[in-house]
Amino acid sequence: MENIKSFELDHDIMIPGFYLIGEANKVYTYDLRFKVPNGGDYLNNAAIHSIEHLFATVVRNSDIKNNVVYFGPMGCRTGFYLLLLGIELKEAKEITINCMKDCLNLDFVPGTEKIQCGNYLEHNLEDAQNEIRKYLKILVN
Ligand SMILES: [Zn+2]
């Protein structure tokens, strides 16, 4: 089998940040890397799950809601993938920063009723927002 594109990135030299890692048919795939790969410090399950709910809700209510193809966590718990139609790197990063800031203004995690989520008890707003704050420091430097 052929390696998929994200496996071709050198994870040994990757640092947290915001990366364009692919484009196909004007769908841009962004790597929102919160943690150093294999660094021993990973997003906990409740935090990564809540960030997924928070950011997905905010970005799908933003000015680019019709351009959002996908947002979801990496299984390695070091970050997220964001797929946007027709939004190039500079704008995508700005939008991500603004949406992450908006996530800090929410005082609840959206979509956490049992009927809305596959593991509704595994959420942690405080941990999620702490991780978002750390990520924003990386992005705005
Ligand atoms: Zn869920």
Side-chain angles (χ1 to χ4, degrees), residues 2 4 6 9 25 35 40 51 54 58 62 66 70 73 77 82 86 94 101 104-105 112-113 123 125 129:
E2 279 181 50
I4 61 173
S6 66
L9 294 172
N25 304 315
K35 301 290 184 183
I51 294 168
L54 287 162
V58 167
S62 74
N66 294 324
Y70 173 78
R77 295 190 282 117
L82 175 63
E94 278 175 20
K101 287 178 180 169
L104 297 179
N105 293 326
T112 56
E113 296 298 318
H123 282 283
L125 178 64
Q129 289 178 328

PDB file of all heavy atoms in Angstrom, residues 2 4 6 9 25 35 40 51 54 58 62 66 70 73 77 82 86 94 101 104-105 112-113 123 125 129:
ATOM      1  N   GLU A   2       0.361   2.304  -0.597  1.00  0.00           N
ATOM      2  CA  GLU A   2       1.071   3.574  -0.561  1.00  0.00           C
ATOM      3  C   GLU A   2       0.832   4.264   0.777  1.00  0.00           C
ATOM      4  O   GLU A   2      -0.249   4.153   1.355  1.00  0.00           O
ATOM      5  CB  GLU A   2       0.544   4.499  -1.671  1.00  0.00           C
ATOM      6  CG  GLU A   2       1.138   4.217  -3.033  1.00  0.00           C
ATOM      7  CD  GLU A   2       0.584   5.184  -4.069  1.00  0.00           C
ATOM      8  OE1 GLU A   2       0.614   6.406  -3.811  1.00  0.00           O
ATOM      9  OE2 GLU A   2       0.118   4.701  -5.108  1.00  0.00           O
ATOM     10  N   ILE A   4      -0.092   7.276   3.108  1.00  0.00           N
ATOM     11  CA  ILE A   4      -0.892   8.484   2.943  1.00  0.00           C
ATOM     12  C   ILE A   4      -0.031   9.692   3.277  1.00  0.00           C
ATOM     13  O   ILE A   4       0.970   9.590   3.981  1.00  0.00           O
ATOM     14  CB  ILE A   4      -2.175   8.447   3.795  1.00  0.00           C
ATOM     15  CG1 ILE A   4      -1.872   8.353   5.274  1.00  0.00           C
ATOM     16  CG2 ILE A   4      -3.061   7.276   3.364  1.00  0.00           C
ATOM     17  CD1 ILE A   4      -3.101   8.479   6.141  1.00  0.00           C
ATOM     18  N   SER A   6      -0.034  12.361   5.166  1.00  0.00           N
ATOM     19  CA  SER A   6       0.361  12.859   6.486  1.00  0.00           C
ATOM     20  C   SER A   6       1.453  11.996   7.113  1.00  0.00           C
ATOM     21  O   SER A   6       2.193  12.456   7.979  1.00  0.00           O
ATOM     22  CB  SER A   6      -0.852  12.966   7.419  1.00  0.00           C
ATOM     23  OG  SER A   6      -1.367  11.693   7.703  1.00  0.00           O
ATOM     24  N   LEU A   9       5.073  13.364   6.351  1.00  0.00           N
ATOM     25  CA  LEU A   9       5.652  14.463   7.124  1.00  0.00           C
ATOM     26  C   LEU A   9       6.671  13.884   8.093  1.00  0.00           C
ATOM     27  O   LEU A   9       6.455  12.810   8.644  1.00  0.00           O
ATOM     28  CB  LEU A   9       4.570  15.163   7.958  1.00  0.00           C
ATOM     29  CG  LEU A   9       3.465  15.905   7.232  1.00  0.00           C
ATOM     30  CD1 LEU A   9       2.405  16.335   8.238  1.00  0.00           C
ATOM     31  CD2 LEU A   9       4.015  17.114   6.503  1.00  0.00           C
ATOM     32  N   ASN A  25      -8.565  19.388  -5.284  1.00  0.00           N
ATOM     33  CA  ASN A  25      -9.840  19.965  -5.744  1.00  0.00           C
ATOM     34  C   ASN A  25     -10.259  21.168  -4.909  1.00  0.00           C
ATOM     35  O   ASN A  25     -11.415  21.321  -4.553  1.00  0.00           O
ATOM     36  CB  ASN A  25     -10.952  18.905  -5.726  1.00  0.00           C
ATOM     37  CG  ASN A  25     -10.585  17.686  -6.551  1.00  0.00           C
ATOM     38  OD1 ASN A  25     -10.083  17.833  -7.667  1.00  0.00           O
ATOM     39  ND2 ASN A  25     -10.800  16.496  -6.006  1.00  0.00           N
ATOM     40  N   LYS A  35       0.585  19.704  19.979  1.00  0.00           N
ATOM     41  CA  LYS A  35       1.618  19.081  20.817  1.00  0.00           C
ATOM     42  C   LYS A  35       2.763  18.575  19.953  1.00  0.00           C
ATOM     43  O   LYS A  35       2.568  18.209  18.793  1.00  0.00           O
ATOM     44  CB  LYS A  35       1.012  17.887  21.575  1.00  0.00           C
ATOM     45  CG  LYS A  35      -0.165  18.226  22.470  1.00  0.00           C
ATOM     46  CD  LYS A  35       0.276  19.035  23.691  1.00  0.00           C
ATOM     47  CE  LYS A  35      -0.902  19.285  24.620  1.00  0.00           C
ATOM     48  NZ  LYS A  35      -0.518  20.117  25.771  1.00  0.00           N
ATOM     49  N   GLY A  40       5.458  13.015  24.689  1.00  0.00           N
ATOM     50  CA  GLY A  40       5.068  12.581  26.028  1.00  0.00           C
ATOM     51  C   GLY A  40       3.937  13.398  26.635  1.00  0.00           C
ATOM     52  O   GLY A  40       3.354  12.996  27.631  1.00  0.00           O
ATOM     53  N   ILE A  51     -12.708  20.094  22.663  1.00  0.00           N
ATOM     54  CA  ILE A  51     -12.222  21.019  21.629  1.00  0.00           C
ATOM     55  C   ILE A  51     -12.894  20.706  20.296  1.00  0.00           C
ATOM     56  O   ILE A  51     -13.283  21.607  19.549  1.00  0.00           O
ATOM     57  CB  ILE A  51     -10.678  20.952  21.492  1.00  0.00           C
ATOM     58  CG1 ILE A  51     -10.009  21.462  22.759  1.00  0.00           C
ATOM     59  CG2 ILE A  51     -10.213  21.772  20.284  1.00  0.00           C
ATOM     60  CD1 ILE A  51      -8.499  21.179  22.834  1.00  0.00           C
ATOM     61  N   LEU A  54     -16.368  22.201  20.545  1.00  0.00           N
ATOM     62  CA  LEU A  54     -16.320  23.670  20.612  1.00  0.00           C
ATOM     63  C   LEU A  54     -15.958  24.262  19.254  1.00  0.00           C
ATOM     64  O   LEU A  54     -16.664  25.117  18.710  1.00  0.00           O
ATOM     65  CB  LEU A  54     -15.273  24.123  21.641  1.00  0.00           C
ATOM     66  CG  LEU A  54     -15.614  23.932  23.118  1.00  0.00           C
ATOM     67  CD1 LEU A  54     -14.351  24.000  23.963  1.00  0.00           C
ATOM     68  CD2 LEU A  54     -16.610  24.992  23.588  1.00  0.00           C
ATOM     69  N   VAL A  58     -18.160  26.467  16.546  1.00  0.00           N
ATOM     70  CA  VAL A  58     -17.828  27.865  16.263  1.00  0.00           C
ATOM     71  C   VAL A  58     -17.523  28.059  14.777  1.00  0.00           C
ATOM     72  O   VAL A  58     -18.047  28.984  14.141  1.00  0.00           O
ATOM     73  CB  VAL A  58     -16.637  28.324  17.138  1.00  0.00           C
ATOM     74  CG1 VAL A  58     -16.081  29.648  16.656  1.00  0.00           C
ATOM     75  CG2 VAL A  58     -17.069  28.432  18.593  1.00  0.00           C
ATOM     76  N   SER A  62     -19.369  30.370  11.655  1.00  0.00           N
ATOM     77  CA  SER A  62     -18.562  31.542  11.304  1.00  0.00           C
ATOM     78  C   SER A  62     -18.866  31.989   9.871  1.00  0.00           C
ATOM     79  O   SER A  62     -19.682  31.385   9.173  1.00  0.00           O
ATOM     80  CB  SER A  62     -17.078  31.190  11.428  1.00  0.00           C
ATOM     81  OG  SER A  62     -16.687  30.357  10.345  1.00  0.00           O
ATOM     82  N   ASN A  66     -19.745  27.776   5.141  1.00  0.00           N
ATOM     83  CA  ASN A  66     -20.028  26.991   3.929  1.00  0.00           C
ATOM     84  C   ASN A  66     -18.764  26.407   3.299  1.00  0.00           C
ATOM     85  O   ASN A  66     -18.858  25.619   2.348  1.00  0.00           O
ATOM     86  CB  ASN A  66     -20.791  27.844   2.914  1.00  0.00           C
ATOM     87  CG  ASN A  66     -22.171  28.209   3.424  1.00  0.00           C
ATOM     88  OD1 ASN A  66     -22.827  27.417   4.101  1.00  0.00           O
ATOM     89  ND2 ASN A  66     -22.609  29.427   3.138  1.00  0.00           N
ATOM     90  N   TYR A  70     -14.480  19.614   7.002  1.00  0.00           N
ATOM     91  CA  TYR A  70     -14.296  18.683   8.130  1.00  0.00           C
ATOM     92  C   TYR A  70     -13.434  19.318   9.198  1.00  0.00           C
ATOM     93  O   TYR A  70     -12.494  20.054   8.903  1.00  0.00           O
ATOM     94  CB  TYR A  70     -13.616  17.393   7.623  1.00  0.00           C
ATOM     95  CG  TYR A  70     -13.225  16.425   8.716  1.00  0.00           C
ATOM     96  CD1 TYR A  70     -14.178  15.611   9.317  1.00  0.00           C
ATOM     97  CD2 TYR A  70     -11.911  16.343   9.159  1.00  0.00           C
ATOM     98  CE1 TYR A  70     -13.822  14.732  10.337  1.00  0.00           C
ATOM     99  CE2 TYR A  70     -11.552  15.468  10.173  1.00  0.00           C
ATOM    100  CZ  TYR A  70     -12.514  14.671  10.757  1.00  0.00           C
ATOM    101  OH  TYR A  70     -12.163  13.806  11.762  1.00  0.00           O
ATOM    102  N   PRO A  73     -10.308  15.390  15.451  1.00  0.00           N
ATOM    103  CA  PRO A  73      -9.055  15.138  16.159  1.00  0.00           C
ATOM    104  C   PRO A  73      -8.179  14.069  15.510  1.00  0.00           C
ATOM    105  O   PRO A  73      -8.675  13.166  14.841  1.00  0.00           O
ATOM    106  CB  PRO A  73      -9.535  14.646  17.534  1.00  0.00           C
ATOM    107  CG  PRO A  73     -10.855  14.019  17.265  1.00  0.00           C
ATOM    108  CD  PRO A  73     -11.472  14.763  16.120  1.00  0.00           C
ATOM    109  N   ARG A  77      -3.673  12.195  19.408  1.00  0.00           N
ATOM    110  CA  ARG A  77      -3.982  13.199  20.432  1.00  0.00           C
ATOM    111  C   ARG A  77      -2.959  14.334  20.504  1.00  0.00           C
ATOM    112  O   ARG A  77      -2.710  14.903  21.562  1.00  0.00           O
ATOM    113  CB  ARG A  77      -4.173  12.552  21.821  1.00  0.00           C
ATOM    114  CG  ARG A  77      -5.380  11.636  21.867  1.00  0.00           C
ATOM    115  CD  ARG A  77      -5.717  11.192  23.283  1.00  0.00           C
ATOM    116  NE  ARG A  77      -4.837  10.142  23.749  1.00  0.00           N
ATOM    117  CZ  ARG A  77      -4.001  10.272  24.799  1.00  0.00           C
ATOM    118  NH1 ARG A  77      -3.928  11.391  25.467  1.00  0.00           N
ATOM    119  NH2 ARG A  77      -3.250   9.256  25.150  1.00  0.00           N
ATOM    120  N   LEU A  82      -8.253  20.183   9.917  1.00  0.00           N
ATOM    121  CA  LEU A  82      -9.298  21.104   9.462  1.00  0.00           C
ATOM    122  C   LEU A  82      -9.245  21.133   7.940  1.00  0.00           C
ATOM    123  O   LEU A  82      -8.200  21.444   7.364  1.00  0.00           O
ATOM    124  CB  LEU A  82      -9.042  22.506  10.036  1.00  0.00           C
ATOM    125  CG  LEU A  82      -9.969  23.625   9.567  1.00  0.00           C
ATOM    126  CD1 LEU A  82     -11.419  23.362   9.987  1.00  0.00           C
ATOM    127  CD2 LEU A  82      -9.495  24.978  10.112  1.00  0.00           C
ATOM    128  N   GLY A  86     -11.383  26.090  -0.573  1.00  0.00           N
ATOM    129  CA  GLY A  86     -11.031  27.375  -1.172  1.00  0.00           C
ATOM    130  C   GLY A  86     -10.464  28.414  -0.230  1.00  0.00           C
ATOM    131  O   GLY A  86     -10.412  29.591  -0.580  1.00  0.00           O
ATOM    132  N   GLU A  94      -5.754  32.841  10.161  1.00  0.00           N
ATOM    133  CA  GLU A  94      -6.452  33.948  10.833  1.00  0.00           C
ATOM    134  C   GLU A  94      -7.814  33.505  11.356  1.00  0.00           C
ATOM    135  O   GLU A  94      -8.200  33.819  12.488  1.00  0.00           O
ATOM    136  CB  GLU A  94      -6.670  35.106   9.843  1.00  0.00           C
ATOM    137  CG  GLU A  94      -5.471  36.005   9.682  1.00  0.00           C
ATOM    138  CD  GLU A  94      -5.703  37.063   8.599  1.00  0.00           C
ATOM    139  OE1 GLU A  94      -6.874  37.345   8.258  1.00  0.00           O
ATOM    140  OE2 GLU A  94      -4.692  37.580   8.094  1.00  0.00           O
ATOM    141  N   LYS A 101     -10.313  31.809  19.673  1.00  0.00           N
ATOM    142  CA  LYS A 101     -10.637  32.835  20.675  1.00  0.00           C
ATOM    143  C   LYS A 101     -12.111  32.776  21.042  1.00  0.00           C
ATOM    144  O   LYS A 101     -12.474  32.902  22.223  1.00  0.00           O
ATOM    145  CB  LYS A 101     -10.273  34.234  20.152  1.00  0.00           C
ATOM    146  CG  LYS A 101      -8.777  34.500  20.128  1.00  0.00           C
ATOM    147  CD  LYS A 101      -8.474  35.884  19.567  1.00  0.00           C
ATOM    148  CE  LYS A 101      -6.980  36.150  19.546  1.00  0.00           C
ATOM    149  NZ  LYS A 101      -6.650  37.379  18.770  1.00  0.00           N
ATOM    150  N   LEU A 104     -13.033  30.292  23.605  1.00  0.00           N
ATOM    151  CA  LEU A 104     -12.735  30.659  24.994  1.00  0.00           C
ATOM    152  C   LEU A 104     -13.875  31.439  25.626  1.00  0.00           C
ATOM    153  O   LEU A 104     -13.956  31.551  26.848  1.00  0.00           O
ATOM    154  CB  LEU A 104     -11.446  31.487  25.059  1.00  0.00           C
ATOM    155  CG  LEU A 104     -10.174  30.781  24.609  1.00  0.00           C
ATOM    156  CD1 LEU A 104      -8.982  31.728  24.695  1.00  0.00           C
ATOM    157  CD2 LEU A 104      -9.923  29.522  25.428  1.00  0.00           C
ATOM    158  N   ASN A 105     -14.749  31.989  24.782  1.00  0.00           N
ATOM    159  CA  ASN A 105     -15.873  32.774  25.310  1.00  0.00           C
ATOM    160  C   ASN A 105     -17.095  31.928  25.632  1.00  0.00           C
ATOM    161  O   ASN A 105     -18.052  32.438  26.214  1.00  0.00           O
ATOM    162  CB  ASN A 105     -16.260  33.871  24.311  1.00  0.00           C
ATOM    163  CG  ASN A 105     -15.172  34.921  24.180  1.00  0.00           C
ATOM    164  OD1 ASN A 105     -14.492  35.225  25.150  1.00  0.00           O
ATOM    165  ND2 ASN A 105     -14.991  35.435  22.977  1.00  0.00           N
ATOM    166  N   THR A 112     -23.579  18.164  24.015  1.00  0.00           N
ATOM    167  CA  THR A 112     -23.197  17.150  25.004  1.00  0.00           C
ATOM    168  C   THR A 112     -24.390  16.443  25.637  1.00  0.00           C
ATOM    169  O   THR A 112     -24.267  15.842  26.708  1.00  0.00           O
ATOM    170  CB  THR A 112     -22.320  17.762  26.114  1.00  0.00           C
ATOM    171  OG1 THR A 112     -23.010  18.849  26.707  1.00  0.00           O
ATOM    172  CG2 THR A 112     -21.002  18.231  25.547  1.00  0.00           C
ATOM    173  N   GLU A 113     -25.535  16.539  24.994  1.00  0.00           N
ATOM    174  CA  GLU A 113     -26.642  15.684  25.443  1.00  0.00           C
ATOM    175  C   GLU A 113     -26.365  14.261  24.967  1.00  0.00           C
ATOM    176  O   GLU A 113     -25.711  14.055  23.939  1.00  0.00           O
ATOM    177  CB  GLU A 113     -27.973  16.183  24.854  1.00  0.00           C
ATOM    178  CG  GLU A 113     -28.379  17.577  25.316  1.00  0.00           C
ATOM    179  CD  GLU A 113     -28.605  17.677  26.811  1.00  0.00           C
ATOM    180  OE1 GLU A 113     -29.214  16.750  27.371  1.00  0.00           O
ATOM    181  OE2 GLU A 113     -28.143  18.666  27.410  1.00  0.00           O
ATOM    182  N   HIS A 123     -16.241  14.873  28.650  1.00  0.00           N
ATOM    183  CA  HIS A 123     -15.962  16.247  28.237  1.00  0.00           C
ATOM    184  C   HIS A 123     -15.320  16.989  29.392  1.00  0.00           C
ATOM    185  O   HIS A 123     -15.573  16.675  30.564  1.00  0.00           O
ATOM    186  CB  HIS A 123     -17.255  16.963  27.821  1.00  0.00           C
ATOM    187  CG  HIS A 123     -17.707  16.580  26.449  1.00  0.00           C
ATOM    188  ND1 HIS A 123     -17.124  17.067  25.304  1.00  0.00           N
ATOM    189  CD2 HIS A 123     -18.672  15.724  26.036  1.00  0.00           C
ATOM    190  CE1 HIS A 123     -17.715  16.542  24.244  1.00  0.00           C
ATOM    191  NE2 HIS A 123     -18.659  15.713  24.651  1.00  0.00           N
ATOM    192  N   LEU A 125     -14.554  21.146  29.771  1.00  0.00           N
ATOM    193  CA  LEU A 125     -14.446  22.499  29.206  1.00  0.00           C
ATOM    194  C   LEU A 125     -13.176  23.205  29.677  1.00  0.00           C
ATOM    195  O   LEU A 125     -12.488  23.845  28.879  1.00  0.00           O
ATOM    196  CB  LEU A 125     -15.685  23.321  29.604  1.00  0.00           C
ATOM    197  CG  LEU A 125     -15.700  24.780  29.133  1.00  0.00           C
ATOM    198  CD1 LEU A 125     -15.743  24.863  27.610  1.00  0.00           C
ATOM    199  CD2 LEU A 125     -16.880  25.536  29.744  1.00  0.00           C
ATOM    200  N   GLN A 129     -10.269  24.514  27.210  1.00  0.00           N
ATOM    201  CA  GLN A 129      -9.930  25.935  27.053  1.00  0.00           C
ATOM    202  C   GLN A 129      -8.488  26.216  27.459  1.00  0.00           C
ATOM    203  O   GLN A 129      -7.825  27.069  26.859  1.00  0.00           O
ATOM    204  CB  GLN A 129     -10.929  26.794  27.835  1.00  0.00           C
ATOM    205  CG  GLN A 129     -12.298  26.770  27.139  1.00  0.00           C
ATOM    206  CD  GLN A 129     -13.365  27.547  27.873  1.00  0.00           C
ATOM    207  OE1 GLN A 129     -13.350  27.637  29.105  1.00  0.00           O
ATOM    208  NE2 GLN A 129     -14.324  28.089  27.138  1.00  0.00           N
TER     209      GLN A 129
END
